[in-house]
Amino acid sequence: MATVEDAKQIALALPEVTVGERYGYRTYMVAKKHSFAWERPFSKADLKRFGDEKPPAGPILAVNVADLDQKDAMLEANPAFFTIPHFNGYKAILIQLKKVPKKALRMAIENAWLCSAPAKVRAKHHGA
């Protein structure tokens, strides 16, 4: 299964990726300003929403998706992919790193990069 270090290596191997910080947590950006993946621990409000249900164990990574249909498909495809009420209507999923195979993590991060990279960056590196 995957680790935070695996996520870091996958993200940094993609073109024009830098690491920054948002809300005190590591954030991966393409073209210096478009975030596509970020560490996302649960806030106190998130934990309260879980109520008596045990929240997924961390570490947790959030990644962008193309649209809500893709989000639904990815959530069905892998039990390590999930969402929380805070992400309702938002084009992103959460990934429980301790449960996700590295291949699925790579796919999710690469997809997030493609969804977030400006067209010029995608075209330069992928012929898109």
Side-chain angles (χ1 to χ4, degrees):
M1 295 302 130
T3 65
V4 171
E5 187 61 29
D6 293 328
K8 178 182 174 183
Q9 288 177 1
I10 292 166
L12 290 177
L14 296 167
E16 297 192 38
V17 171
T18 56
V19 179
E21 191 174 289
R22 186 169 61 177
Y23 305 112
Y25 298 101
R26 188 180 315 179
T27 301
Y28 300 97
M29 295 167 283
V30 57
K32 298 183 182 176
K33 63 181 179 177
H34 303 276
S35 64
F36 65 95
W38 61 99
E39 293 176 5
R40 179 49 167 85
F42 297 121
S43 68
K44 289 179 184 178
D46 294 331
L47 294 172
K48 188 175 182 178
R49 286 184 198 104
F50 278 103
D52 293 335
E53 183 183 340
K54 186 177 178 183
I60 306 297
L61 186 76
V63 297
N64 291 338
V65 296
D67 55 40
L68 296 178
D69 289 334
Q70 184 182 56
K71 177 178 181 171
D72 290 341
M74 290 180 74
L75 292 172
E76 288 183 29
N78 191 310
F81 298 161
F82 68 101
T83 191
I84 57 176
H86 182 77
F87 279 65
N88 287 350
Y90 186 67
K91 298 182 297 185
I93 62 167
L94 300 170
I95 303 171
Q96 188 177 11
L97 293 178
K98 290 181 179 181
K99 288 192 174 181
V100 70
K102 289 179 188 175
K103 184 176 180 180
L105 177 63
R106 178 176 306 283
M107 180 271 313
I109 292 173
E110 289 174 353
N111 179 69
W113 183 93
L114 285 168
C115 294
S116 303
K120 287 181 180 180
V121 174
R122 286 193 317 268
K124 179 179 173 185
H125 295 288
H126 285 81

